[in-house]
């Protein structure tokens, strides 16, 4: 009964589709990056320290190559985690924008709701900053992958935020402002 109710509501169905799409995209991204790490030496080298080819043993008996492999995997998973956070932020912002756009509220209330939702456009930037700060933690054992994480997380955050503002916020705000102006013009007559 509750499941049928959930799918019969168009707004909830759209939200479920957004969540499902985010999960699928996240899973495909994770599998693809993991596969590239295992099979492509060039891609793997992005996450490994430059001196990882040194042969020898540590105090615990593991080789330096094993240790370099472990730190590369940690860097890879930090990169994946930060990218998935930004994907989640993107989907949340898209869901909020869809809710505002599809609501039956008056135009002025939609405009105020859009103004109130401004924070959602900055969340990818904040997650990018989080990735940059996280990269400083990685820097102690892998300066090369640290730079990769810092630059890529910042770049992804900027691109997602820019796309959300240009492709979602601006057209919706333009449409609502136009509708508001037309309503005001009609009320003046």
């Amino acid at each position: 009964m509750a499941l049928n109710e959930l799918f019969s509501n168009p707004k909830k169905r759209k939200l479920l589709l957004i969540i499902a799409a985010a999960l699928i995209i996240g899973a495909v991204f994770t599998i693809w990056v993991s596969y590239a790490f295992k099979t492509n030496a060039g891609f793997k080298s992005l996450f490994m320290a430059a001196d990882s080819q040194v042969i020898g043993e540590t105090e615990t008996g593991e080789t330096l190559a094993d240790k370099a492999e472990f730190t590369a995997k940690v860097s890879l998973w930090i990169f994946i985690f930060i990218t998935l956070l930004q994907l989640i932020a993107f989907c949340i912002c898209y869901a909020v924008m869809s809710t505002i756009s599809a609501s039956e509220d008056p135009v002025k209330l939609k405009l105020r709701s859009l103004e109130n939702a401004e924070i959602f456009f900055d969340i990818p930037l904040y997650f990018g900053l989080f990735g940059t700060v996280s990269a400083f933690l990685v820097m102690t054992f892998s300066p090369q992958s640290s730079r990769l994480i810092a630059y890529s997380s910042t770049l992804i955050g900027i691109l997602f935020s820019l796309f959300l503002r240009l492709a979602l916020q601006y057209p919706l705000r333009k449409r609502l402002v136009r509708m508001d102006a037309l309503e005001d013009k009609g009320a003046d007559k």
Side-chain angles (χ1 to χ4, degrees):
M1 179 72 174
L3 201 56
N4 187 26
E5 199 175 293
L6 186 65
F7 286 109
S8 65
N9 185 336
K11 290 179 185 177
K12 290 182 181 178
R13 188 176 8 181
K14 188 170 185 176
L15 182 61
L16 285 174
L17 287 174
I18 292 169
I19 292 169
L23 289 173
I24 291 168
I25 291 169
V28 167
F29 175 76
T30 303
I31 291 167
W32 175 71
V33 170
S34 298
Y35 176 77
F37 182 83
K38 290 177 187 171
T39 60
N40 188 323
F43 185 77
K44 188 176 193 176
S45 70
L46 294 173
F47 295 94
M48 296 189 79
D51 60 352
S52 63
Q53 302 304 321
V54 178
I55 298 173
E57 289 189 3
T58 62
E59 301 85 37
T60 60
E62 66 182 337
T63 65
L64 292 175
D66 291 339
K67 193 170 186 168
E69 177 85 16
F70 175 76
T71 57
K73 285 180 183 177
V74 169
S75 298
L76 173 77
W77 285 105
I78 290 171
F79 170 76
I80 289 172
F81 175 71
I82 291 166
T83 305
L84 291 178
L85 276 178
Q86 290 175 326
L87 177 66
I88 290 167
F90 181 88
C91 290
I92 288 171
C93 186
Y94 183 81
V96 168
M97 294 303 297
S98 296
T99 303
I100 292 170
S101 179
S103 75
E104 299 295 325
D105 295 332
V107 175
K108 288 193 186 305
L109 184 58
K110 282 184 178 183
L111 278 168
R112 293 198 61 197
S113 296
L114 185 61
E115 197 175 296
N116 193 38
E118 189 77 23
I119 186 71
F120 290 102
F121 297 104
D122 294 332
I123 291 175
L125 293 173
Y126 296 140
F127 283 152
L129 181 60
F130 171 74
T132 303
V133 171
S134 299
F136 288 124
L137 300 172
V138 175
M139 191 177 287
T140 58
F141 57 85
S142 180
Q144 180 175 343
S145 61
S146 170
R147 287 189 297 274
L148 173 75
I149 293 169
Y151 296 148
S152 62
S153 67
T154 303
L155 180 64
I156 292 168
I158 291 169
L159 291 175
F160 277 11
S161 183
L162 185 65
F163 177 80
L164 288 167
R165 287 184 184 277
L166 292 178
L168 296 178
Q169 181 189 32
Y170 178 74
L172 179 59
R173 182 172 286 163
K174 182 179 177 182
R175 189 181 84 211
L176 291 174
V177 166
R178 188 170 192 279
M179 288 170 61
D180 186 41
L182 290 174
E183 280 182 5
D184 289 345
K185 193 176 192 180
D188 289 343
K189 287 185 179 183

